[in-house]
Amino acid sequence: MAEDALDTIADALEGTGAYRVLRRVRPFAGYSAQPDEPTFVGLILDTETTGLDHTADEVIELGIIKFEYGASGRVYRVLGTYNQLHQPSRPIPAEVTRLTGITDADVAGQCIDDAHLQALAADAAVVIAHNASFDRQMCEVRWPIFAEKNWACSCHQIPWREEGHEGQKLSYLLADYGFFHDGHRAIDDCHALLALLASPLRTSGRLALSCLLETARRPTVRIWAAGSPIETKDLLKARRYRWSGQRRCWYIDVEEDRLDIERTFLSQEVFRREVRDLRADRITARDRFSARTNPDL
């Protein structure tokens, strides 16, 4: 049956109010008009790997969409795509094959072209991933150019719940927008994410990419509650402080304008004295999500 006829049926079903129809995500079509604002180059990136440890596991598939976007957050056009399998030094674990469908036979003799990747990423102003703390750490170990880039996380730096979504997983968000995709393959996840970033948010109406970039550009401050009394751990946890096993103390990441608020909280509620030597590290998109700023390593 012709695609137009199927779309007509889908529209009729949705029009009854008794059905929801999910449509497969299509590659971004772009805009024919020339941009009337400053534009920049971005990368959407996704990896499939042999595991979760960036120091021991390896990338077995890398997907990238290179795109042009405006200062407003509007996505104008796709500049290129790259998807490549890579043979790791050890067999792919069975659980990874079950999740991704990628087998040892698929990756045999396959190799990611480092020089091509360097050229592809050279002019990118930002790299976006749906779990940037994972993808960045996996990539920058292998390809140093990614350690030099600004990164943004579409999962955690867009207020999806405030915008009316119950979950932050890519498949959940797509379903809320009426789409589905073949998940757990790198380039398919990239196309799905680009479709989301080019869309307006459900509640505010802002472009998702605009919201993401605004958040990513704002520096944050990591506050260390070093030496906090052990009896205050529940108080700190309730305020969303996290424990750093490496430094053996609690910490929290906040917007810069909340530094004085947290200083007052720690002074009054935790240490019960004025804190004069509070350590606070400033973090920007250049370092955020990188292994070098991971407090748990």
Side-chain angles (χ1 to χ4, degrees):
M1 187 177 293
E3 190 170 333
D4 288 345
L6 293 173
D7 284 338
T8 300
I9 295 171
D11 291 340
L13 287 171
E14 289 180 323
T16 67
Y19 299 91
R20 292 185 62 200
V21 180
L22 300 183
R23 294 168 169 82
R24 183 182 295 277
V25 170
R26 298 172 181 172
F28 183 75
Y31 292 88
S32 57
Q34 288 297 314
D36 58 357
E37 60 178 332
T39 61
F40 309 89
V41 172
L43 300 182
I44 291 175
L45 179 150
D46 187 66
T47 61
E48 302 299 338
T49 66
T50 57
L52 303 178
D53 186 344
H54 76 277
T55 63
D57 291 304
E58 300 172 72
V59 175
I60 57 174
E61 186 178 39
L62 178 66
I64 292 177
I65 294 178
K66 185 173 185 175
F67 66 101
E68 180 185 32
Y69 67 93
S72 65
R74 172 168 297 222
V75 179
Y76 285 100
R77 60 193 175 109
V78 170
L79 302 172
T81 62
Y82 181 76
N83 193 70
Q84 180 61 50
L85 293 168
H86 186 85
Q87 183 175 2
S89 58
R90 297 185 299 275
I92 298 172
E95 60 271 23
V96 173
T97 295
R98 284 195 295 271
L99 181 66
T100 66
I102 301 173
T103 67
D104 288 322
D106 293 329
V107 300
Q110 299 290 317
C111 182
I112 294 172
D113 186 334
D114 293 354
H116 178 76
L117 194 59
Q118 176 83 19
L120 184 70
D123 58 347
V126 64
V127 181
I128 301 170
H130 201 61
N131 185 7
S133 61
F134 175 77
D135 289 304
R136 176 168 194 168
Q137 291 177 41
M138 291 300 302
C139 287
E140 66 183 11
V141 169
R142 168 74 188 277
W143 301 287
I145 191 171
F146 289 117
E148 304 166 2
K149 295 295 182 180
N150 297 312
W151 281 71
C153 180
S154 54
C155 182
H156 300 292
Q157 292 186 298
I158 296 175
W160 295 113
R161 293 187 184 276
E162 290 85 339
E163 292 288 343
H165 302 274
E166 293 184 1
Q168 297 168 288
K169 287 185 63 175
L170 194 56
S171 58
Y172 296 165
L173 296 170
L174 280 177
D176 286 344
Y177 278 91
F179 295 107
F180 73 94
H181 79 308
D182 297 322
H184 298 301
R185 292 303 300 266
I187 198 64
D188 295 321
D189 283 351
C190 291
H191 282 296
L193 181 52
L194 182 59
L196 288 178
L197 294 176
S199 301
L201 295 170
R202 296 172 72 184
T203 300
S204 68
R206 296 184 61 193
L207 290 171
L209 180 59
S210 174
C211 182
L212 173 61
L213 294 174
E214 180 181 291
T215 303
R217 290 186 187 111
R218 288 200 299 264
T220 53
V221 178
R222 177 165 294 159
I223 302 170
W224 299 92
S228 59
I230 191 170
E231 61 270 18
T232 63
K233 66 179 180 65
D234 291 335
L235 182 64
L236 290 165
K237 287 172 65 176
R239 200 170 172 90
R240 299 186 178 180
Y241 278 70
R242 299 174 62 186
W243 176 256
S244 168
Q246 180 191 43
R247 297 193 179 181
R248 307 295 298 173
C249 71
W250 295 92
Y251 72 94
I252 192 173
D253 292 339
V254 299
E255 302 288 342
E256 278 190 308
D257 59 7
R258 287 190 55 86
L259 176 58
D260 288 340
I261 294 174
E262 284 308 306
R263 192 189 305 273
T264 299
F265 163 75
L266 291 172
S267 295
Q268 295 180 353
E269 305 295 332
V270 175
F271 293 100
R272 302 296 179 91
R273 59 175 175 79
E274 185 177 358
V275 181
R276 299 181 181 276
D277 55 350
L278 181 67
R279 177 172 176 176
D281 299 328
R282 190 173 187 266
I283 300 174
T284 69
R286 184 60 59 92
D287 298 308
R288 194 176 293 122
F289 309 119
S290 173
R292 61 180 175 268
T293 58
N294 187 337
D296 299 320
L297 294 179

